[in-house]
Amino acid sequence: MVTVGIDLGGTNIYAVVLDGEERLGRAKLRTPSTGDRTGVIDVMDAAVRDALGDAGRDIDEVTGVGVGSPGVVMAGTVGGASNVPGFLERFSLADLLKQKVGREVRVTNDVTAAAVAEHRLGAGRGTDDLLAVHVGTGVGGGIILGGRPFEGGAGGAGEFGHIVVRQGGAVCPCGRRGCVEAYAGRRAMTLAAERAKAAGTSTILFDVMEDKGKARATSGVFAAAYERGDTLVADLLDDAIEALGAGIASAVNLLDVDVVVLGGGFADRFGGWFRSRVDAAMRPHLFLQPPRIRVVAAELGDEGGAIGAALLAAEI
Amino acid sequence: MVTVGIDLGGTNIYAVVLDGEERLGRAKLRTPSTGDRTGVIDVMDAAVRDALGDAGRDIDEVTGVGVGSPGVVMAGTVGGASNVPGFLERFSLADLLKQKVGREVRVTNDVTAAAVAEHRLGAGRGTDDLLAVHVGTGVGGGIILGGRPFEGGAGGAGEFGHIVVRQGGAVCPCGRRGCVEAYAGRRAMTLAAERAKAAGTSTILFDVMEDKGKARATSGVFAAAYERGDTLVADLLDDAIEALGAGIASAVNLLDVDVVVLGGGFADRFGGWFRSRVDAAMRPHLFLQPPRIRVVAAELGDEGGAIGAALLAAEI
């Protein structure tokens, strides 16, 4: 018997098939960029079938399907995910996907799912208290306490990206001010670069984007502009690193976790240099002395969320 | 059989005797302001005896003694409490007090103990996920998750006062910058008022202090200066309220608790007006919509920490 995990992202839908902790198959499909939630659920179902095909297994052998979803997840329902068509208004993803695939479905926040995977099989092995920080388009968080995913009374916990690090600071894509994500999310950084350019600041970021044939400033575009000495991008990275450092320290001061697992496309692209600087930016704010906290790189990459979702599906 | 709880503060040592949840006796003694930790432990022992005398009970009837201590508590040891003589360097308070009183001792962070009391017998009844915020000389936090005190892997959790709300902001009594306590702790506010006065800002705060015959700017002194229209004090209160609002919202975004119990001498002195303004300052930063969080007043006052410590002693 096997479980299937799905990670639903704004760009891609990943699926993996697990037998216990062993990965038997995988699939990766594009997330629809238009349409409604039915279209998204159809692609999630297709990803399940593709991953099962890759594993040489049948849907009858699946004991449960786990989903790591963006937005705020509560008791199988999802809402507030602006980057997936039809996922802004709250609805029961568990019920709709169950009708489609014919298997029990457990839905979790996507970064919580990634945190479960890193805890069990990745960079968080050996600790039972960790915070996963995902730096990508936005900034997400997932929490493991006492070895279990911590989702809060109503499932709304883990919103690390919306810890306030600068009262009255920059506007965040969430509409509020001074959140970590207002400085450290790639979308917010792109908007800040657009505003700075419109105000006359010199930057090659958007030239690099065009040269690479990209429709948006990807992590690779930011990295290339930085490597070519773009001072605006360097300043934006400084702000992102300081915000992540302060936000992580705040979370550590509150939760006393042992390990922070830093992942996500943006953090992964910049690698060890970025992680070291976040670590250094965090330390001046740590209350507990000597600090026990370690900031480590996520090990499971793009598939972490799907793997964690499959691990959680084993508990259905 | 009964339990005894002690709350060790920088000014007073409270003790209560509980039979289950019923308060049978109490005592309040001054914390030594000079000397070493042995002197403090002698007064803690005296407070236990006084409270037992008040209850008409004997030490032989005590199943355990609980202590709520300032500083960072780890496995019976305490360190980093600068407001109690001899409590800066880490030592085993549990062992030393056990030798003195001849009963098993359990040591907890003081605001965690208060959170336990509010959860079981006070403003947090009916919820299993709450954050207690104590606004007094400093700013402390205590966390209840799933109905249990949450102290982190090594006991260092709950440092709400050192959540960073303004990167690069005001210096906190802890030596770091931009913490909630740097704006909302009475000691930090007093230092800020002293600096402002030295720089030429007009304030009646220190005149009120002298009029009241106080050696320091107590919560009552701040309240009286505010009520007489002191604009510096009003500005400091604004900053304190904004910092508390942002910090509480950050904690709620991370933990999704149901209730924030606001207590401590400073918050209690200003009452419902202060709590309403903290609530209003918090709301613009809340991620989960509609928010479920309620900010309520602590109900157990000065004895909350001792009551919670006695409740935890029942688990020894």
Side-chain angles (χ1 to χ4, degrees):
Chain A
M1 300 307 277
V2 297
T3 62
V4 180
I6 303 171
D7 183 58
L8 173 61
T11 309
N12 294 304
I13 293 172
Y14 293 88
V16 300
V17 178
L18 289 194
D19 180 357
E21 297 183 347
E22 188 191 357
R23 235 174 304 179
L24 301 181
R26 49 172 55 89
K28 177 181 172 183
L29 295 173
R30 289 298 272 194
T31 308
S33 56
T34 56
D36 60 8
R37 65 180 63 130
T38 310
V40 175
I41 288 167
D42 287 347
V43 180
M44 292 171 79
D45 179 56
V48 170
R49 311 281 162 176
D50 286 2
L52 284 168
D54 185 47
R57 298 300 183 104
D58 191 82
I59 188 71
D60 294 338
E61 298 174 74
V62 176
T63 59
V65 174
V67 180
S69 173
V72 178
V73 177
M74 293 176 169
T77 70
V78 177
S82 57
N83 57 342
V84 177
F87 277 58
L88 202 53
E89 293 291 312
R90 185 162 294 279
F91 73 102
S92 179
L93 175 57
D95 288 349
L96 288 189
L97 187 62
K98 180 183 171 183
Q99 285 169 25
K100 188 78 190 175
V101 301
R103 284 291 172 273
E104 290 296 325
V105 173
R106 174 173 176 170
V107 186
T108 314
N109 173 272
D110 49 1
V111 190
T112 301
V116 167
E118 295 291 342
H119 170 240
R120 287 272 294 277
L121 304 173
R125 284 189 308 271
T127 179
D128 275 341
D129 299 285
L130 69 84
L131 170 69
V133 172
H134 186 100
V135 185
T137 311
V139 177
I143 300 172
I144 304 287
L145 297 179
R148 299 292 310 155
F150 176 78
E151 302 177 275
E159 293 296 348
F160 169 80
H162 304 285
I163 283 184
V164 182
V165 289
R166 296 194 197 181
Q167 282 177 226
V171 174
C172 183
C174 79
R176 298 170 194 92
R177 280 190 180 274
C179 307
V180 173
E181 182 172 313
Y183 301 96
R186 191 177 47 70
R187 178 170 38 189
M189 294 172 74
T190 303
L191 292 170
E194 284 170 358
R195 282 195 302 271
K197 191 177 183 201
T201 304
S202 164
T203 177
I204 61 168
L205 182 69
F206 302 102
D207 304 318
V208 172
M209 187 178 90
E210 282 185 25
D211 290 351
K212 286 177 166 273
K214 301 287 185 184
R216 59 196 171 85
T218 60
S219 300
V221 169
F222 268 93
Y226 177 73
E227 280 151 21
R228 285 167 56 184
D230 192 90
T231 52
L232 174 64
V233 168
D235 289 347
L236 291 171
L237 279 168
D238 285 348
D239 284 351
I241 287 161
E242 288 297 323
L244 287 167
I248 290 172
S250 292
V252 170
N253 291 344
L254 200 62
L255 296 176
D256 188 27
V257 292
D258 303 314
V259 169
V260 171
V261 179
L262 190 64
F266 197 83
D268 289 352
R269 179 62 186 77
F270 281 91
W273 165 86
F274 187 79
R275 193 174 70 259
S276 304
R277 286 200 54 202
V278 169
D279 186 290
M282 166 194 75
R283 295 200 175 266
H285 297 295
L286 293 174
F287 186 75
L288 194 62
Q289 297 297 331
R292 303 183 309 121
I293 190 75
R294 293 180 296 124
V295 179
V296 301
E299 291 179 0
L300 300 171
D302 290 342
E303 277 183 1
I307 293 168
L311 290 169
L312 289 169
E315 299 176 2
I316 291 174
Chain B
M1 301 307 278
V2 297
T3 61
V4 180
I6 303 170
D7 183 57
L8 173 61
T11 308
N12 294 305
I13 294 173
Y14 293 88
V16 300
V17 179
L18 288 194
D19 179 359
E21 297 182 347
E22 189 190 354
R23 236 173 303 177
L24 301 182
R26 50 170 57 89
K28 176 181 172 183
L29 295 174
R30 289 301 270 194
T31 309
S33 57
T34 56
D36 60 9
R37 64 179 66 126
T38 310
V40 176
I41 289 167
D42 287 347
V43 180
M44 293 171 78
D45 179 56
V48 171
R49 310 282 160 174
D50 287 2
L52 285 168
D54 187 46
R57 297 301 182 105
D58 191 82
I59 188 73
D60 294 339
E61 299 173 74
V62 176
T63 59
V65 174
V67 179
S69 173
V72 178
V73 177
M74 291 178 170
T77 70
V78 176
S82 57
N83 57 343
V84 178
F87 277 59
L88 203 53
E89 294 291 313
R90 186 162 294 279
F91 73 103
S92 178
L93 176 58
D95 288 348
L96 289 189
L97 188 61
K98 180 182 171 183
Q99 285 168 24
K100 188 79 189 171
V101 301
R103 285 292 173 272
E104 290 294 325
V105 172
R106 175 173 174 170
V107 185
T108 315
N109 173 273
D110 50 0
V111 190
T112 302
V116 167
E118 295 291 341
H119 170 240
R120 287 271 293 279
L121 303 173
R125 285 188 308 272
T127 178
D128 275 341
D129 300 285
L130 69 84
L131 170 69
V133 171
H134 186 99
V135 185
T137 312
V139 177
I143 302 172
I144 304 288
L145 297 179
R148 298 291 310 155
F150 176 78
E151 303 178 273
E159 291 297 345
F160 169 79
H162 304 285
I163 283 185
V164 182
V165 290
R166 296 196 196 178
Q167 282 178 226
V171 174
C172 183
C174 78
R176 298 170 193 91
R177 280 190 179 274
C179 306
V180 172
E181 182 172 312
Y183 300 97
R186 191 178 46 72
R187 179 171 36 190
M189 293 172 74
T190 303
L191 292 170
E194 285 171 356
R195 281 194 303 272
K197 190 174 183 204
T201 304
S202 163
T203 177
I204 61 166
L205 182 69
F206 302 102
D207 303 319
V208 172
M209 187 176 90
E210 282 184 25
D211 290 351
K212 284 177 167 274
K214 300 286 185 186
R216 58 197 171 83
T218 61
S219 299
V221 169
F222 268 94
Y226 176 74
E227 280 152 22
R228 286 167 56 184
D230 191 88
T231 52
L232 174 63
V233 168
D235 289 347
L236 290 171
L237 278 169
D238 285 348
D239 285 352
I241 287 161
E242 288 297 325
L244 287 167
I248 291 172
S250 292
V252 171
N253 291 343
L254 201 61
L255 296 176
D256 189 27
V257 292
D258 304 314
V259 169
V260 171
V261 179
L262 190 64
F266 197 85
D268 289 351
R269 179 62 187 76
F270 282 91
W273 165 87
F274 187 79
R275 192 175 69 257
S276 305
R277 286 200 54 203
V278 169
D279 186 291
M282 166 194 74
R283 295 199 174 268
H285 298 295
L286 294 173
F287 186 75
L288 195 62
Q289 296 296 331
R292 302 183 308 121
I293 191 75
R294 294 180 295 124
V295 179
V296 301
E299 291 178 1
L300 300 172
D302 290 342
E303 277 183 359
I307 294 168
L311 290 169
L312 288 170
E315 299 177 2
I316 290 174

